[in-house]
């Protein structure tokens, strides 16, 4: 179990042994953390806060058995969300600016998911969403990445599905009135749940 505390360090708790490990760093408080599927590694995002959110920061890859730092990576676009693929080979960061960045399991950059301006012209080129990334989730097979974001630029709130290998957009649901706030894929991979800011939950049939 990993917890975000009020201080700058995540806490890792072994629920069987009741052992608490504190993952101390000099990078500031992490807004998001994620375990690898095997539970041996953890990614934490650390950032510098200003009036409009986290503008720059650092991603840290931990070996929690030590604990020790395995790798670090600067995140200049203000990453605030992180998720692992179920095979542990891919890590995706989402930013407050709408970027979706892909990394391998050693935290090496592998590219980004881009809309190529499909929703609002070239102004969105290079971005995965037109605003704040709210949720990330891989399909059970790892072939699909689901993302949701706060809409800007007159396009409404957004839900998207991507091909995880090619990073191409598969489908999108735009102009949503309910702000999507979180995503989760069921254990059997059949369903995608979308939590919204008005206390509603939508259940979709997930792409495999």
């Amino acid at each position: 179990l990993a917890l975000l505390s009020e201080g700058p360090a995540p806490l890792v708790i072994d629920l069987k042994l009741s052992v608490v490990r504190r993952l101390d760093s000099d990078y500031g408080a992490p807004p998001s953390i994620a375990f690898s599927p095997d539970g041996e590694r953890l990614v934490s995002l650390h950032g510098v806060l200003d009036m409009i959110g986290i503008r720059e920061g650092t991603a840290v890859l931990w070996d929690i058995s030590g604990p020790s730092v395995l790798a670090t990576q600067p995140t200049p676009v203000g990453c605030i969300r992180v998720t692992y693929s179920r095979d542990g080979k891919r890590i995706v960061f989402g930013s407050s600016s709408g970027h979706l960045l892909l990394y391998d399991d050693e935290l090496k950059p592998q590219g980004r998911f881009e809309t190529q301006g499909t929703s609002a012209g070239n102004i969105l080129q290079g971005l995965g969403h037109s605003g704040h990334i709210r949720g990330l989730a891989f399909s059970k097979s790892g072939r699909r990445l689901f993302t949701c974001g706060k809409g800007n630029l007159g396009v409404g709130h957004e839900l998207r599905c991507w091909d995880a290998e090619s990073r191409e957009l598969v489908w999108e649901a735009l102009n949503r009135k309910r702000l999507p706030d979180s995503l989760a894929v069921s254990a059997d991979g059949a369903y995608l749940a979308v939590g919204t800011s008005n206390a509603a939950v939508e259940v979709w049939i997930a792409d495999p």
Side-chain angles (χ1 to χ4, degrees), residues 15-34:
L15 296 180
K16 286 185 177 180
L17 302 177
S18 299
V19 175
V20 177
R21 297 182 180 92
R22 183 181 176 91
L23 308 184
D24 289 302
S25 74
D26 298 323
Y27 299 111
S32 187
I33 53 179

Side-chain angles (χ1 to χ4, degrees), residues 113-205:
F113 297 84
E114 302 176 3
T115 63
Q116 299 297 334
T118 55
S119 304
N122 290 334
I123 195 167
L124 291 184
Q125 192 161 357
L127 299 179
H129 286 274
S130 62
H132 190 129
I133 302 296
R134 309 287 290 189
L136 306 168
F138 275 96
S139 65
K140 182 180 180 181
S141 68
R143 294 196 300 264
R144 296 287 186 259
L145 172 70
F146 303 102
T147 65
C148 61
K150 182 178 181 180
N152 288 322
L153 310 171
V155 299
H157 304 313
E158 305 156 346
L159 175 64
R160 290 195 164 102
C161 174
W162 308 84
D163 184 296
E165 187 68 33
S166 68
R167 306 193 304 277
E168 294 180 352
L169 185 64
V170 177
W171 57 260
E172 59 186 354
L174 304 179
N175 298 314
R176 296 168 53 81
K177 294 182 179 180
R178 295 174 175 174
L179 174 62
D181 217 26
S182 59
L183 298 175
V185 174
S186 60
D188 62 4
Y191 300 103
L192 170 69
V194 183
T196 67
S197 58
N198 64 343
V201 177
E202 302 172 2
V203 179
W204 295 56
I205 296 176

